[in-house]
Amino acid sequence: MFIFNTTYLVSDKVHGYWLKWVQEQHIPFMLDSTYFSEPQAARVITSDKQDGTSFSVQFHVKDMQTLKLWNKEYSLLFQENCSQQFGTEVIFFTTVLELIDL
């Protein structure tokens, strides 16, 4: 099992609108693709001075093949959608985490 994580730096100007977008558009878009499950979001706590607030939005994905399929079908649409909605007020990058048994 893997976690598909997107970390966002959200300017204070669009903070409320971005949260609403995540809840009403982004999470449903990701879940509707049927590739992901178990969405969660968190504010990133940092002592570094930054313009805005950082957030992490995560989804479970069963394997790398599934993630590759999603990337092929949807990643460009996801990037364009975020850029169109927020321009330079929101920047983001993605990472993949592999869950391990302890």
Side-chain angles (χ1 to χ4, degrees):
M1 180 71 63
F2 294 87
I3 294 175
F4 179 68
N5 173 73
T6 305
T7 302
Y8 298 87
L9 178 58
V10 180
S11 81
D12 294 335
K13 283 198 286 188
V14 298
H15 178 262
Y17 177 58
W18 179 84
L19 282 172
K20 185 175 179 176
W21 174 80
V22 166
Q23 294 170 340
E24 296 179 1
Q25 294 181 42
H26 176 53
I27 290 174
F29 170 79
M30 298 295 281
L31 295 176
D32 286 348
S33 76
T34 71
Y35 292 103
F36 298 103
S37 64
E38 301 182 49
Q40 59 186 28
R43 186 166 31 98
V44 177
I45 306 299
T46 180
S47 60
D48 295 338
K49 179 70 177 138
Q50 60 184 22
D51 294 326
T53 304
S54 290
F55 294 91
S56 169
V57 179
Q58 301 177 348
F59 298 88
H60 284 215
V61 60
K62 68 179 178 178
D63 54 37
M64 290 302 290
Q65 181 62 30
T66 301
L67 185 55
K68 286 178 185 178
L69 287 171
W70 181 86
N71 275 323
K72 184 177 180 180
E73 292 181 43
Y74 293 100
S75 70
L76 187 58
L77 181 60
F78 160 72
Q79 292 171 24
E80 289 173 348
N81 187 4
C82 188
S83 293
Q84 287 175 352
Q85 293 289 324
F86 303 104
T88 59
E89 298 297 322
V90 175
I91 57 174
F92 61 91
F93 65 92
T94 61
T95 52
V96 178
L97 311 170
E98 183 177 11
L99 296 172
I100 57 172
D101 293 326
L102 298 176

